[in-house]
Amino acid sequence: MVAEKTIAKEVLQKAFTTLCTAKSMAELYEENFKIVSKYVHATSRGHEAIQIATAMHLLPQDYAFPYYRDDAMLLGIGMRPYDLMLQLLAKKEDPFSGGRTYYSHPSLRDDDKPKIPHQSSATGMQAIPSTGVAMGIQYKELVDLDDKTLQDKPLVVCSLGDASVTEGEIAEAFQMAALKQLPILYLVQDNGWDISANAAETRAQNAYEYAQGFNGLDAISIDGANFTESYLALQEVIKTIREERRPMLVHAKVPLLNHHTSGVRMEWYRDDLEEARSRDPYPVLKKQLLENGFTEKEIQAIEAETKAVVAKDLEEAMKAEDPTPEDLFTHDFAPTPITEEKGERSPADKEEVVMVDCALFAVEELMKENKECLLYGQDVGGRLGGVFREAATLAQKFGDERVFNTPIQEAFIVGSTVGMSAVGLKPIVEVQFADYIWPGLNQLFTEVSRSCYLSNGKWPVSMILRVPIGAYGSGGPYHSSSVESVVTNIRGIKIAYPSNGADLKGLMKAAYHDPNPVVILEHKGLYWSKVKGTDAARTIEPSEDYVLPFGKANVVQRIWPQDEKETMTIVTYGMGVHWALNATKDIKETVEIIDLRTLYPLDEETIMESVKKTKKCLVVTEEPTNNSFARALSGKIQEECFRSLDAPVMTIGSENMPAIPLNSTLEQTMIPSTEKVKQKIEELLKY
């Protein structure tokens, strides 16, 4: 039985010292409330025992996802109060984020401590990235990329509050961990509260009971306020995960002895404060020290020393330097090595291929060259190879470990790339249609896009998200949407939208070598050039070493400056390039066409140079134009080129209706076409 085991005196002493430190910090923050509450914070008061017990079992090769109440866990892995206080006060030398994010929002890459990728404040969202780390660890073990010198295999700890377990994305994480048998511990700290809503109001069952529904996810429930019980239980659980490589959940019941956050005071709504204080882990651990031979004098010395250290550290942290205005503009992206177009775009020995094959060949070449490269998503595995055959034969060539199907879990597909990237892998993932990207946007926005910036450059997310997009062949309202305006509003990601096979292959290769997250929007109507007038999407397949840097537009139809006639520029991308080419085939000398190729970064220089030369501009998009990326681009062009313009910058796109109808007549009425673009060109040239 766990209760019969003993704990070494030095372990108890270290745990008590850490608990006293965390407790002293919480008390000092309360005493200095007006000073330290400039920025919102939460503390671990009441949760310290389980957090410290967990931290003491972690090794440098492990990955931890402590959450915003887990300052005791951070102290337990070796962080100093001063380190945490630099973040509390949003100082320049905050070791996690450089003053960018809240207290106890760690991101750490120290050699001597567990690795901590960045995670957001959004409750429960860390479950998917942390499970992605475990999936990455498992993959490396399967394909012999793991570190064979390690005596103890790595694992992942994901810390959660019990209230967060009601989130749908938690179910996606638990499902994958149980399905794949991943080496992860879900540590659920249950204090009975959300913010002001309690467990009885919001939960049909606690996390331990909930875990019973996931076949393959074993769970235990313990008193997380009792250090000895917690330490011994975690010792067994972590030993099991290290050796048996399977997921487990620990449900730890704890009291919340401090405010939800500094901005939401417990006395405003709590009716259980006396009962909570009766379960304080501090006197429990103090009693355990006395029972193991420590004297009152020794205990008092520890308490006094920790108080002195904490007070001194806060005093020093308050003197530390604040960030400068210039510090705002660093680490939005990690530097990419791909800055120039290289390789042969149209080799003499290659044949013309359809666009979807250019992408397929690019992925195949990347997987041959890089064992770190893997592909997953819905239906991309061996039976089908993708609904567009964009992954055809890859599973057969590289195995089910590297090319595999996922459940219908867009959030997991997107968010798991954070964890895969953190262990040094390069995932290529996809959602089946742009219409189904919405469940994944939470992870894309909250976790993927902000990781580099909010970790102060420590944890860029290296991933590729492929998104088939656009209307084609009566796909109807749930297989035809354009979503670029939403995606371009997410800062911290790069976005490609190629119009032909050569560009898609070159951008795919560049995206792979880019250490940042990349979304590639691939128009499904261009995949096979089956849409009339899209033959130009077929290209000679570029060479294996061909790369095309992001942020370099292509002038696909160039004209010279002409004062004697009206000229104009069309700025477009994707299917719009083909509408523009077809609409201008009889007036090529009058219209310059710019294919953006990437929506972020955007090649503003090429755009503005062309518009200033031609004096008129039309932006062509497939999206409805109201509040769109295209309309915003039109405004930017108008602003930059106002003195050169002979007409207002115009925009053409789909009709501003809620969805693209299934009926082919209605679909064609909804979206632009060569004829519609031609009419708009004529209108603008006559202006």
Side-chain angles (χ1 to χ4, degrees):
M1 293 289 291
V2 166
E4 295 173 357
K5 295 184 179 180
T6 58
I7 298 176
K9 285 187 69 174
E10 57 268 24
V11 170
L12 289 171
Q13 182 173 345
K14 182 180 178 183
F16 186 69
T17 302
T18 308
L19 192 154
C20 286
T21 302
K23 177 173 176 287
S24 296
M25 288 163 62
E27 291 168 350
L28 189 62
Y29 296 167
E30 195 66 14
E31 291 167 16
N32 293 272
F33 180 75
K34 288 187 177 179
I35 297 171
V36 303
S37 63
K38 178 180 179 181
Y39 305 112
V40 70
H41 64 270
T43 70
S44 59
R45 191 71 193 92
H47 292 230
E48 301 99 332
I50 184 62
Q51 290 181 20
I52 295 164
T54 303
M56 293 179 79
H57 292 296
L58 297 182
L59 301 172
Q61 61 265 36
D62 294 329
Y63 286 77
F65 285 72
Y67 208 40
Y68 61 70
R69 198 177 301 286
D70 289 358
D71 56 6
M73 189 183 297
L74 294 172
L75 294 171
I77 65 167
M79 302 303 292
R80 300 174 300 153
Y82 178 72
D83 298 324
L84 306 187
M85 290 166 178
L86 289 174
Q87 190 173 52
L88 174 79
L89 301 169
K91 295 295 185 177
K92 182 183 179 75
E93 297 305 318
D94 153 29
F96 304 130
S97 75
R100 291 175 173 172
T101 195
Y102 308 102
Y103 178 71
S104 199
H105 283 56
S107 51
L108 198 65
R109 213 162 186 167
D110 291 359
D111 291 338
D112 63 340
K113 299 181 185 70
K115 308 301 171 279
I116 306 179
H118 168 265
Q119 61 257 295
S120 72
S121 295
T123 53
M125 295 305 100
Q126 72 274 30
I128 286 177
S130 60
T131 307
V133 170
M135 192 162 74
I137 289 172
Q138 183 188 71
Y139 170 77
K140 290 175 78 171
E141 291 172 0
L142 287 170
V143 299
D144 289 326
L145 286 174
D146 56 320
D147 185 350
K148 300 292 193 302
T149 66
L150 293 174
Q151 185 175 349
D152 297 294
K153 290 187 175 181
L155 54 76
V156 184
V157 172
C158 174
S159 176
L160 298 158
D162 196 64
S164 73
V165 177
T166 59
E167 287 273 8
E169 293 189 14
I170 299 289
E172 293 193 18
F174 287 3
Q175 179 75 251
M176 281 298 284
L179 177 68
K180 298 284 187 180
Q181 289 295 285
L182 303 176
I184 185 168
L185 163 63
Y186 298 106
L187 174 66
V188 182
Q189 300 172 58
D190 183 1
N191 61 36
W193 290 92
D194 294 19
I195 297 179
S196 65
N198 62 30
E201 295 174 75
T202 58
R203 282 164 256 170
Q205 65 278 307
N206 65 34
Y208 169 73
E209 295 160 340
Y210 184 56
Q212 310 308 309
F214 294 89
N215 189 19
L217 175 61
D218 285 351
I220 62 170
S221 187
I222 63 172
D223 179 3
N226 183 316
F227 174 76
T228 297
E229 180 179 338
S230 297
Y231 183 88
L232 293 173
L234 266 295
Q235 188 175 58
E236 288 299 314
V237 166
I238 285 178
K239 181 175 184 289
T240 299
I241 297 172
R242 286 202 199 283
E243 293 176 357
E244 299 181 20
R245 316 309 281 154
R246 60 186 177 91
M248 297 190 74
L249 183 145
V250 171
H251 171 247
K253 291 168 285 190
V254 292
L256 179 60
L257 301 182
N258 207 343
H259 312 292
H260 170 73
T261 66
S262 56
V264 183
R265 314 289 290 172
M266 57 187 173
E267 58 269 15
W268 295 347
Y269 58 88
R270 293 279 297 278
D271 55 7
D272 67 335
L273 291 175
E274 285 307 312
E275 189 276 334
R277 289 176 187 128
S278 72
R279 295 186 289 124
D280 188 341
Y282 165 70
V284 175
L285 182 52
K286 183 176 179 180
K287 181 172 180 287
Q288 289 168 354
L289 262 70
L290 291 169
E291 290 170 349
N292 280 272
F294 288 87
T295 66
E296 280 284 359
K297 187 176 180 181
E298 287 172 323
I299 290 171
Q300 289 170 5
I302 292 171
E303 292 171 328
E305 183 181 352
T306 55
K307 279 187 178 180
V309 168
V310 166
K312 180 176 178 295
D313 280 4
L314 181 59
E315 187 179 332
E316 290 301 313
M318 286 166 54
K319 296 175 188 173
E321 183 182 352
D322 284 319
T324 65
E326 292 74 22
D327 292 325
L328 175 69
F329 301 102
T330 60
H331 301 303
D332 50 342
F333 291 100
T336 177
I338 308 299
T339 56
E340 296 178 15
E341 186 174 4
K342 291 182 179 177
E344 268 195 277
R345 183 178 174 90
S346 302
D349 61 336
K350 291 289 185 93
E351 296 181 355
E352 189 175 88
V353 295
V354 293
M355 190 168 166
V356 72
D357 283 347
C358 271
L360 175 64
F361 299 152
V363 175
E364 182 175 343
E365 289 166 3
L366 287 167
M367 295 190 80
K368 278 181 183 173
E369 190 179 344
N370 306 282
K371 214 170 181 180
E372 295 80 11
C373 179
L374 66 166
L375 172 71
Y376 56 95
Q378 294 167 32
D379 297 305
V380 301
R383 290 191 191 90
L384 187 59
V387 294
F388 299 106
R389 305 294 287 155
E390 73 282 3
T393 73
L394 293 179
Q396 290 86 345
K397 290 175 180 175
F398 298 104
D400 294 335
E401 298 87 8
R402 295 186 68 186
V403 182
F404 58 89
N405 294 326
T406 65
I408 302 171
Q409 293 185 344
E410 285 83 5
F412 186 88
I413 290 167
V414 174
S416 62
T417 64
V418 176
M420 299 291 260
S421 174
V423 299
L425 301 174
K426 181 72 181 205
I428 301 174
V429 299
E430 62 174 68
V431 295
Q432 275 190 350
F433 293 91
D435 304 76
Y436 303 139
I437 197 173
W438 310 116
L441 283 185
N442 199 357
Q443 288 290 327
L444 188 64
F445 176 81
T446 308
E447 309 299 333
V448 175
S449 71
R450 297 178 167 195
S451 182
C452 186
Y453 188 68
L454 292 181
S455 69
N456 219 20
K458 291 190 295 295
W459 294 102
V461 178
S462 187
M463 59 85 87
I464 299 172
L465 171 59
R466 298 180 64 185
V467 184
I469 192 170
Y472 158 64
S474 297
Y478 298 104
H479 299 82
S480 307
S481 296
S482 294
V483 300
E484 58 264 32
S485 290
V486 173
V487 177
T488 52
N489 264 286
I490 301 175
R491 280 60 170 171
I493 60 175
K494 296 185 179 182
I495 305 153
Y497 200 148
S499 67
N500 61 75
D503 285 354
L504 178 51
K505 184 172 184 182
L507 290 167
M508 184 81 73
K509 291 291 184 78
Y512 181 83
H513 295 292
D514 196 313
N516 301 288
V518 175
V519 176
I520 303 183
L521 304 172
E522 305 174 19
H523 200 294
K524 64 183 193 289
L526 299 178
Y527 268 156
W528 300 285
S529 292
K530 288 184 178 179
V531 177
K532 184 181 178 182
T534 60
D535 287 343
R538 295 172 177 263
T539 61
I540 300 293
E541 185 201 347
S543 63
E544 190 166 341
D545 62 347
Y546 180 66
V547 290
L548 186 60
F550 277 58
K552 302 290 185 184
N554 184 26
V555 183
V556 295
Q557 186 166 287
R558 191 182 297 273
I559 65 171
W560 63 96
Q562 301 170 66
D563 295 328
E564 70 280 4
K565 64 167 66 175
E566 296 296 312
T567 57
M568 63 178 286
T569 298
I570 293 179
V571 180
T572 187
Y573 52 91
M575 184 65 81
V577 173
H578 302 277
W579 290 327
L581 286 169
N582 293 324
T584 62
K585 62 184 177 182
D586 295 329
I587 50 171
K588 290 181 180 179
E589 72 285 351
T590 303
V591 182
E592 188 151 290
I593 301 173
I594 296 174
D595 179 357
L596 293 177
R597 300 201 284 205
T598 64
L599 308 187
Y600 194 87
L602 187 65
D603 187 354
E604 293 185 14
E605 183 180 347
T606 297
I607 297 167
M608 305 311 170
E609 183 182 297
S610 176
V611 175
K612 287 175 182 177
K613 174 178 69 178
T614 65
K615 314 297 185 188
K616 295 180 180 180
C617 181
L618 175 64
V619 179
V620 179
T621 178
E622 188 173 315
E623 276 195 301
T625 54
N626 281 6
N627 307 309
S628 65
F629 165 79
R631 190 56 63 76
L633 179 55
S634 296
K636 177 69 172 175
I637 295 168
Q638 188 115 319
E639 186 180 324
E640 293 284 324
C641 302
F642 182 75
R643 292 177 183 276
S644 303
L645 291 171
D646 288 340
V649 178
M650 295 187 180
T651 310
I652 183 171
S654 291
E655 300 296 335
N656 290 294
M657 303 306 291
I660 297 175
L662 181 65
N663 177 272
S664 57
T665 300
L666 296 178
E667 179 188 56
Q668 290 307 309
T669 305
M670 173 84 174
I671 65 175
S673 64
T674 294
E675 191 56 39
K676 290 177 186 177
V677 171
K678 190 174 183 179
Q679 290 172 11
K680 199 71 176 177
I681 291 168
E682 291 171 355
E683 176 190 344
L684 188 52
L685 286 173
K686 290 175 183 175
Y687 192 92

